[in-house]
């Protein structure tokens, strides 16, 4: 069998097979004198200042050249997929071009949209986010050029020979790179459960492409051959543009105009070209993951340039921050342009992470411009290449503006939280904030580590921020956590050899009764050859009803589907294999579920029209009396918006639109309807069931629906609430359930009218009138209380005794709450700065509040000690600061004794002061 690494071009062109003297890897080259593999750190970048290609390319020009090259060689050009992987349930973001075709195409279940194909896919990886800006080459979002071929036993498209030939021809003939400068390093790739041999393609010290020959799946440490042999290539288009320009960093090549504008806004000067050149060359030789790595890089650059490390930090750190801001702006443009809503979960969390890191960098740069204004610059820069992002600029700008405001609020509120955490650590004798707690403060409260460090340091607690902080946080949220499959209480082995159940609920959705034959019967379960009972799925409960045979009758309590076999849970179970049975659905329940499920599609369509196309179904639970629909949205839905959604929804119902259902080829459905198909979640299979509310909304959906919207009946929105950051929940009723809800509200209105002695149409006015009267009475009561409090204060002041430099009041205020004690004591010490007010109350337990004015504190008063010792008398505990103390205990009968003790402590403090 031919060695997969022995590509025909190597023999035909006379490539040498060598082993790198530095890393010991095997590589191919046309240069007989080459001793190293051509990749860093074995080789430095040698293209900076001397481009490797015959002409200069911008990134859009390089993308166009790449796509056209492969199109001329028989590849179909595929449009980019969204950067949010809506078609997958294992990852949130599109991380590579091959991710577009996983898992359905790569598993062989679904044919590819074209074969072979070529695509330029914006891909997001946040595992190197802390390196962006300072390595010269890392990006959060990058353009992966991929040409792919899917080879099966029936169809060979192309494999290793052609793949390497295409790559070499593109680099040398199309771009004009000298053939002897290209090296092909042998390697083995693993990822996403797949594996295969690969070549890493390098030119002048930088890897430009990876050619993977995916032919294994990996599980339990074993490699199993795939049904397909897949050519999975990834060309770094940013890197290709970089080597064509020879600029000092990839950021200058890709974001030149944006970087120039950011430098102008911040006043950051461009360092000398020699410094930038050496910094990028040396950064390419290292993985800049920690502060130690960065220091080592600075040290090496200093040695080459003669500058001090402090001087290098002064000139390079601001520019690195600018590079990172430019990168993050592009990443955010795609994230929000492709419909991600910022939140604290899933892809919304990752978008917020990038956004808040951008704001933190702007803070470091003292860049006062709104982030939305900077995004406007980025969107103009991207407009020609990605017009769809420009079309969504209003949404992108609004989201960023709101997120920036929330960030400021978080910083303001978070300071107090950090102070409390720091105080808790000090009490435990700790002086260093654990890294886990630092991550928790960001993860749960959105507090950037730099802000935590600033506040905690002032509070006497040290904070060490890991250089890879944002990488660590991103890793926590980069992959979807798959929920375990619901356990079904039946032995699956009993179902393995059974034929798939004929699904009458799809073929004849209005069937109320049906005949069937029993295929299996065990414990409390029955399997039939066909059924009209809908099995639970897609947020829709199963049907219930009865099964009848000559031998007996059973209630159908639950229905589930396992690998195409529909299982009915029944009570009792009188059925035998081979018997004929008659099934009867609880039709009122089924038709209500059909109405609510259809209404879900209609409301979702209305919400997207009112709120915007970024709205995505985040969950749904259909019910008989009401249904919940969760929507991703970046702010609360206003009352006016809710009313408009309801109005549009009922307009569609009254229009009597057709609701079409049918099975479609997955690729055809995606071509026709796009990835909005997956609003209800990822749907498996080569064929998917598509439900279209004609001219309104289309989804892949396995539920039961009405044939026309008019059958749904009236739809009433019951309530809207924010169930988590970025997710709004709508609860609604449809059909007869909506009528019942409205009638219930009407009964409540009539009841209120009866209580208020008015007509229903005047309830609002009568309620307001009653409220105004109540408010006036409340104000009158407050005035009376204030007068009584003033009299109480006057009375208390007469009871003050002089204790040294202090005026001391120790009194019980019957019936007062602790809050009232604090108010009274506060008023006393504001009027007399030498006052110590110790007040007690009996409120279930005995409670004491002690407060001292500024002069009293300077004279030695310690309310914390007063509260502690007095509370001990009560059999409890207390404490506080010199100016304020609180305590309490169960000893109600000893309250007067405790107040006497408070007075003694004051006397002792004055005696000590006099003696000192």
């Amino acid at each position: 069998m031919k060695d997969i690494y022995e590509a025909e071009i190597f023999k035909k062109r006379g490539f040498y097979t060598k082993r790198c003297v530095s890393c010991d890897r095997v590589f191919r080259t046309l240069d007989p004198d080459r001793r190293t593999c051509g990749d860093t750190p074995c080789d430095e970048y040698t293209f900076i200042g001397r481009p490797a290609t015959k002409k200069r390319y911008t990134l859009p020009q390089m993308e166009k050249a790449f796509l056209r090259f492969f199109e001329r060689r028989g590849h179909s050009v595929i449009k980019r997929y969204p950067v949010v992987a809506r078609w997958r349930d294992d990852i949130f973001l599109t991380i590579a071009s091959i991710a577009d075709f996983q898992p359905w195409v790569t598993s062989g279940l679904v044919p590819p949209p074209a074969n072979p194909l070529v695509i330029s896919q914006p891909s997001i990886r946040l595992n190197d986010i802390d390196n962006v800006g300072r390595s010269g080459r890392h990006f959060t979002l990058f353009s992966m050029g991929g040409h792919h071929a899917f080879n099966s036993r029936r169809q060979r498209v192309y494999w290793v020979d052609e793949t390497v030939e295409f790559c070499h021809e593109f680099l040398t003939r199309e771009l004009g790179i000298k053939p002897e400068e290209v090296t092909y390093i042998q390697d083995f790739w693993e990822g996403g459960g797949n594996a295969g041999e690969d070549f890493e393609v390098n030119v002048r010290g930088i890897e430009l492409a990876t050619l993977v020959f995916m032919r294994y799946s990996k599980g339990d440490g074993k490699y199993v051959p795939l049904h397909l042999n897949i050519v999975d290539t990834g060309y770094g288009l940013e890197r290709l543009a970089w080597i064509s320009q020879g600029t000092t960093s990839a950021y200058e090549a890709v974001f030149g105009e944006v970087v120039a504008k950011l430098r102008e806004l911040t006043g950051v000067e461009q360092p000398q070209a020699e410094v930038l050149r050496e910094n990028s060359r040396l950064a390419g030789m290292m993985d800049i993951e920690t502060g130690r790595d960065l220091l080592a890089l600075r040290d090496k650059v200093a040695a080459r340039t003669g500058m001090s490390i402090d001087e290098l930090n002064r000139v390079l750190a601001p520019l690195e921050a600018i590079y990172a801001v430019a990168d993050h702006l592009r990443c955010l443009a795609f994230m929000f342009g492709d419909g991600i809503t910022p939140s604290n979960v899933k892809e919304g969390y990752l978008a917020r992470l990038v956004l808040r890191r951008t704001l933190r960098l702007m803070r470091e740069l003292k860049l006062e411009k709104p982030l939305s204004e900077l995004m406007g610059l980025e969107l103009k820069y991207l407009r020609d290449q990605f017009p769809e992002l420009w079309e969504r600029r209003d949404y992108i700008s609004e989201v960023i503006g709101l997120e920036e405001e929330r960030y400021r609020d978080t910083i303001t509120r978070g300071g107090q939280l950090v102070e409390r955490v720091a105080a808790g650590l000090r009490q435990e004798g700790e002086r260093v904030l654990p890294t886990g707690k630092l991550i928790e403060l960001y993860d749960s409260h959105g507090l950037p580590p730099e802000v935590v460090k600033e506040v905690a340091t002032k509070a006497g607690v040290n904070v060490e921020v890991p250089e890879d902080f944002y990488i660590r946080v991103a890793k926590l949220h980069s992959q979807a956590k798959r929920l375990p499959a619901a356990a079904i209480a039946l032995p699956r082995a009993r179902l393995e050899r059974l034929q798939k159940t004929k699904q009458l609920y799809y073929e004849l959705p209005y069937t109320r009764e049906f005949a069937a034959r029993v295929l299996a019967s065990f414990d409390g379960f029955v399997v039939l050859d066909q059924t009209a009972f809908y099995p639970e799925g897609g947020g829709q409960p199963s049907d219930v009803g009865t099964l009848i045979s000559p031998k007996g009758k059973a209630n159908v309590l639950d229905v589930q589907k396992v690998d195409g076999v529909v299982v009915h849970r029944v009570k009792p179970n009188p059925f035998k294999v081979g018997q004929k049975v008659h099934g009867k659905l609880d039709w009122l329940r089924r038709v209500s579920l059909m109405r609510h499920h259809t209404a879900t599609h209609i409301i979702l369509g209305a919400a997207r029209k009112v709120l915007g196309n970024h709205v995505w179904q985040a969950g749904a639970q259909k019910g008989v009396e009401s249904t919940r629909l969760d929507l991703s949205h970046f702010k609360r839905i206003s009352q006016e918006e809710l009313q408009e959604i309801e109005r549009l929804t009922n307009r569609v119902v009254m229009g009597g639109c057709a609701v079409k259902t049918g099975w479609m080829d997955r690729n055809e459905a995606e071509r026709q309807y796009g990835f909005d198909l997956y609003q209800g979640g990822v749907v498996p299979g080569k064929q998917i069931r598509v439900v279209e509310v004609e001219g309104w909304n289309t989804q892949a959906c396995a539920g039961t629906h009405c044939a026309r919207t008019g059958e749904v009946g009236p739809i009433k929105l019951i309530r809207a609430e924010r169930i988590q950051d970025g997710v709004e929940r709508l609860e609604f009723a449809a059909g007869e359930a909506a009528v019942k809800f409205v009638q219930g509200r009407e009964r409540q209105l009539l009841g209120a009218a009866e209580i208020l002695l008015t007509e229903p149409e005047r309830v609002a006015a009568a309620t307001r009138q009653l409220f105004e009267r109540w408010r006036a009475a409340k104000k009158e009561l407050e005035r009376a209380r204030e007068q009584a409090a003033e009299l109480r204060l006057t009375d208390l002041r007469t009871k003050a005794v002089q204790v040294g430099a202090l005026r001391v009041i120790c009194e019980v205020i019957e019936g007062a709450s602790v809050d009232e004690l604090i108010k009274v004591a506060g008023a006393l010490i504001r009027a007399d700065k030498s006052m110590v007010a110790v007040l007690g109350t009996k409120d279930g337990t005995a409670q004491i509040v002690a407060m001292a004015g500024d002069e009293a504190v300077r004279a030695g008063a310690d309310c914390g000690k007063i509260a502690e010792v007095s509370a001990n008398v009560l059999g409890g505990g207390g404490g506080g600061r010199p100016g304020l103390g609180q305590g309490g205990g169960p000893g109600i009968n000893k309250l007067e004794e405790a107040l006497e003790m408070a007075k003694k402590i004051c006397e002792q403090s004055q005696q000590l002061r006099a003696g000192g």
Side-chain angles (χ1 to χ4, degrees):
M1 183 178 177
K2 178 183 174 182
D3 183 349
I4 197 167
Y5 293 115
E6 294 296 334
E8 188 65 30
I9 188 175
F10 297 150
K11 185 190 301 182
K12 184 170 62 178
R13 302 280 181 91
F15 276 77
Y16 298 92
T17 301
K18 299 196 173 193
R19 189 174 292 276
C20 179
V21 297
S22 179
C23 69
D24 203 39
R25 292 197 292 173
V26 175
F27 67 96
R28 310 302 176 101
T29 178
L30 286 170
D31 182 357
D33 300 323
R34 174 173 279 281
R35 302 177 68 239
T36 51
C37 62
D39 193 11
T40 55
C42 305
D43 288 79
E44 285 191 15
Y45 295 160
T46 57
F47 59 87
I48 297 176
R50 44 187 296 266
T53 59
K54 61 186 177 185
K55 72 172 189 176
R56 181 183 187 278
Y57 291 85
T58 63
L59 179 59
Q61 289 168 344
M62 184 59 74
E63 179 186 78
K64 187 177 291 186
F66 176 80
L67 295 175
R68 284 182 175 176
F69 174 86
F70 284 96
E71 186 177 29
R72 291 196 303 268
R73 285 153 184 79
H75 293 68
S76 298
V77 178
I78 302 298
K79 288 183 178 180
R80 76 172 183 92
Y81 281 43
V83 298
V84 53
R86 303 288 193 193
W87 59 96
R88 297 184 60 170
D89 61 2
D90 57 336
I91 57 174
F92 299 128
L93 302 173
T94 307
I95 57 174
S97 59
I98 194 64
D100 299 344
F101 313 111
Q102 292 173 322
W104 315 115
V105 175
T106 55
S107 66
L109 185 66
V110 175
N115 199 9
L117 60 84
V118 63
I119 187 171
S120 174
Q121 177 59 48
S123 305
I124 298 178
R125 297 180 190 174
L126 302 181
N127 56 323
D128 288 314
I129 189 170
D130 288 306
N131 296 331
V132 173
R134 60 192 190 190
S135 72
R137 69 186 187 278
H138 283 105
F139 296 88
T140 52
L141 178 142
F142 59 97
S143 306
M144 178 177 283
H147 64 92
H148 302 279
F150 304 88
N151 300 281
S152 64
R153 292 177 181 176
R154 293 182 178 181
Q155 181 190 17
R156 184 191 185 281
V157 184
Y158 62 78
W159 193 227
V160 179
D161 294 341
E162 297 89 338
T163 302
V164 180
E165 183 79 50
F166 285 144
C167 179
H168 201 70
E169 188 180 356
F170 175 68
L171 295 178
T172 59
R173 293 186 184 177
E174 182 72 18
L175 301 184
I177 296 171
K178 293 178 181 179
E180 61 271 18
E181 292 190 313
V182 184
T183 61
Y184 297 88
I185 304 172
Q186 293 180 190
D187 209 341
F188 193 85
W189 175 89
E190 293 183 17
N194 296 131
E197 296 83 355
D198 77 88
F199 288 112
E200 295 175 4
V201 186
N202 290 267
V203 172
R204 296 191 185 181
I206 190 167
E207 183 181 345
L208 298 178
T210 304
L211 315 178
V212 179
F213 305 102
M214 189 189 297
R215 55 177 181 156
Y216 305 107
S217 64
K218 186 181 179 184
D220 299 326
K222 298 179 180 179
Y223 296 103
V224 180
L226 290 169
H227 295 296
L228 300 176
N229 283 344
I230 301 169
V231 174
D232 171 22
T233 68
Y235 290 69
L237 298 185
E238 281 84 0
R239 293 185 177 192
L240 285 164
W242 185 18
I243 69 160
S244 81
Q245 297 180 37
T247 53
T248 50
S249 76
Y251 313 116
E252 296 285 351
V254 175
F255 307 120
E257 293 179 21
V258 176
V259 166
K261 186 63 178 178
L262 291 173
R263 278 205 306 265
E264 178 187 324
L265 291 172
T266 57
V268 171
E269 296 180 4
Q270 179 80 344
Q272 294 177 1
E274 178 193 0
V275 174
L276 291 176
R277 184 163 55 245
E278 293 303 328
N279 190 69
S280 288
R281 282 177 178 167
L282 291 167
M285 306 278 288
M286 306 170 62
D287 288 324
I288 315 298
E289 295 183 353
T290 66
R292 188 176 299 171
D293 295 333
L294 185 61
L295 186 61
L297 172 63
R298 293 283 195 261
D299 193 49
K300 290 183 178 182
V301 176
R304 288 202 182 182
T305 61
M307 296 176 68
S308 69
I309 291 178
D310 287 344
E311 183 66 11
L312 284 172
N313 281 329
R314 187 186 67 79
V315 299
L316 288 177
L319 187 61
E320 289 167 347
I322 282 176
Y323 288 157
V325 169
D327 165 89
H328 293 5
L329 284 170
R330 181 175 67 161
C331 184
L332 291 169
F334 277 91
M335 282 178 150
F336 297 143
D338 283 358
I340 294 179
T341 297
S343 70
N344 287 333
V345 295
K346 300 181 180 180
E347 63 273 4
Y349 180 96
L350 297 173
R352 180 169 283 166
L353 182 147
V354 177
L355 186 143
R356 292 192 170 182
R357 188 171 191 272
T358 308
L359 291 170
R360 191 263 292 173
L361 291 165
M362 291 170 61
R363 189 168 175 250
E364 289 179 5
L365 289 164
K366 296 181 173 57
L367 182 51
E368 302 295 336
K369 292 281 185 182
L371 181 57
S372 56
E373 187 174 323
L374 300 184
M375 179 56 73
L377 295 173
E378 179 65 34
L379 291 173
K380 285 180 181 177
Y381 186 64
L382 296 171
R383 177 168 51 186
D384 292 339
Q385 191 179 4
F386 300 101
E388 68 274 18
L389 301 182
W390 179 253
E391 290 171 5
R392 296 167 193 158
R393 63 190 180 279
D394 290 342
Y395 164 71
I396 296 172
S397 178
E398 186 177 5
V399 169
I400 285 176
L402 282 171
E403 281 296 301
E404 194 167 8
E405 186 178 325
R406 287 172 182 154
Y407 178 76
R408 286 194 296 267
D409 291 345
T410 296
I411 299 301
T412 302
R413 294 195 311 271
Q416 297 174 351
L417 173 61
V418 175
E419 287 174 354
R420 289 199 299 272
V421 170
L425 287 170
R426 288 199 313 273
Q427 287 179 358
E428 295 170 5
E430 298 289 338
R431 291 288 176 175
V432 178
L433 183 76
T435 300
K437 190 65 179 179
L438 183 66
I439 291 175
E440 180 190 328
L441 287 169
Y442 180 87
D443 209 28
S444 301
H445 303 281
L447 291 172
E450 296 78 13
V451 172
V452 175
K453 181 174 183 177
E454 184 180 313
V455 176
T457 301
K458 291 178 181 176
V461 172
N462 294 325
V463 178
E464 290 295 328
V465 181
E467 289 292 325
D468 61 345
F469 176 84
Y470 288 96
I471 291 175
R472 296 189 192 190
V473 173
K475 282 180 179 177
L476 294 175
H477 296 267
S478 291
Q479 288 191 315
K481 294 179 177 64
R482 286 179 169 168
L483 296 174
I488 183 165
L490 56 85
R492 289 179 174 243
R494 303 286 292 269
L495 307 176
E496 286 179 356
R497 297 185 180 181
L498 295 178
Q499 68 185 47
K500 291 185 177 181
T501 310
K502 187 176 182 181
Q503 302 167 99
L504 298 177
Y505 48 83
Y506 285 153
E507 297 179 15
L508 302 166
Y510 285 85
T511 297
R512 304 184 186 197
E513 301 183 30
F514 66 97
R517 184 169 56 87
V518 177
L519 298 182
S521 179
F522 48 89
D523 303 327
F525 301 97
V526 173
V527 178
L528 309 175
D529 62 340
Q530 61 179 9
T531 185
F533 285 100
Y534 177 78
E536 181 183 8
Q540 180 175 326
S542 73
D543 288 330
V544 298
T546 57
L547 285 177
I548 305 170
S549 77
K551 298 293 184 180
K553 176 180 178 182
N555 291 319
V556 177
L557 306 177
D558 185 30
V559 187
Q560 300 289 331
K561 186 162 72 170
V562 181
D563 298 329
V565 177
V566 178
V567 185
H568 307 73
R569 183 163 67 88
V570 296
K571 188 176 181 180
N573 185 2
F575 307 112
K576 304 294 182 184
V577 173
Q579 279 184 341
K580 291 185 177 179
V581 295
H582 183 83
K584 186 175 182 180
L585 277 65
D586 179 340
W587 184 250
L588 290 179
R589 171 187 166 89
R590 156 66 87 80
V591 78
S592 182
L593 289 168
M594 289 170 69
R595 286 168 175 156
H596 280 91
H597 204 143
T598 309
T600 302
H601 291 239
I602 299 171
I603 292 172
L604 179 59
R608 285 168 67 85
K609 283 181 170 54
V610 173
L611 305 175
N613 285 333
H614 64 277
V615 168
W616 199 264
Q617 181 175 316
Q621 182 59 54
K622 291 80 179 180
V624 177
E625 297 299 328
S626 66
T627 286
R628 301 194 309 267
L629 173 62
D630 298 338
L631 304 173
S632 62
H633 189 48
F634 57 93
K635 61 180 180 179
R636 294 302 312 270
I637 303 175
S638 70
Q639 189 61 36
E640 293 74 17
E641 288 169 333
L642 287 171
Q643 290 174 348
E644 181 64 9
I645 291 169
E646 186 176 78
R647 188 182 65 80
L648 287 179
T649 296
N650 282 285
R651 180 188 290 176
V652 172
V653 169
M654 291 183 288
C657 307
V659 180
K660 301 176 182 178
T661 60
W663 295 90
M664 291 184 70
D665 173 81
R666 177 183 289 274
N667 287 329
E668 180 57 35
E670 289 179 357
R671 275 193 292 269
Q672 189 168 339
Y673 300 110
F675 295 104
D676 286 355
L677 273 173
Y678 305 122
Q679 284 277 341
V682 177
V683 179
K686 178 180 179 180
Q687 298 282 315
I688 58 177
R689 187 167 180 268
V690 176
V691 177
E692 179 187 5
V693 179
E694 195 171 29
W696 189 252
N697 178 267
T698 304
Q699 289 186 49
C701 182
T704 59
H705 303 80
C706 301
R708 304 194 74 84
T709 58
E711 296 174 23
V712 174
I715 297 174
K716 179 63 185 172
L717 294 185
I718 298 173
R719 66 177 59 87
E721 60 178 329
R722 198 164 188 81
I723 60 168
Q724 66 184 49
D725 191 25
V727 179
E728 294 282 307
R729 171 169 289 172
L730 301 183
E731 187 176 351
F732 64 91
E736 190 174 328
V739 174
K740 287 180 182 177
F741 175 78
V742 172
Q743 288 175 339
R745 283 288 174 90
E746 191 175 51
R747 283 194 297 273
Q748 291 176 344
L749 180 63
L750 290 171
E754 186 176 346
I755 292 170
L756 294 168
L757 302 175
T758 188
E759 298 298 321
E761 58 269 19
R762 295 199 70 256
V763 164
T767 303
R768 177 165 292 282
Q769 192 176 44
L770 180 62
F771 174 74
E772 293 296 340
R773 288 203 296 266
W774 170 83
R775 188 160 63 176
K778 184 183 177 186
K779 286 182 178 178
E780 189 62 34
L781 180 60
E782 286 173 353
R783 278 195 294 271
R785 282 178 175 168
E786 287 172 2
Q787 290 172 357
E790 188 58 41
L791 290 172
R792 180 183 287 169
L793 286 171
T794 302
D795 181 54
L796 285 170
R797 288 189 188 103
T798 64
K799 297 178 180 179
V801 295
Q802 194 73 36
V803 179
L806 309 177
R807 285 177 55 75
V808 180
I809 296 174
C810 296
E811 291 291 330
V812 175
I813 301 180
E814 297 290 346
S817 66
V818 171
D819 287 342
E820 287 173 327
L821 293 185
I822 292 172
K823 287 180 181 177
V824 172
L828 288 169
I829 67 171
R830 280 194 298 274
D832 186 346
K833 303 297 183 184
S834 66
M835 179 72 72
V836 177
V838 185
L839 306 178
T841 187
K842 299 172 183 178
D843 184 14
T845 59
Q847 298 290 328
I848 287 177
V849 169
M851 295 182 74
D854 294 342
E855 292 178 13
V857 171
R858 285 195 290 272
D862 186 346
C863 292
K865 183 178 179 181
I866 291 170
E868 180 184 0
V869 177
S870 301
N872 286 339
V873 175
L874 300 171
R881 305 187 303 272
L884 171 64
Q886 283 183 248
I892 294 176
N893 296 332
K894 293 188 175 184
L895 183 57
E896 286 78 6
E897 183 183 339
L899 293 174
E900 278 298 319
M901 178 60 72
K903 184 179 177 184
K904 285 181 181 179
I905 294 168
C906 292
E907 291 171 347
Q908 290 170 3
S909 73
Q910 295 306 290
Q911 289 169 2
L912 286 171
R913 188 166 181 266

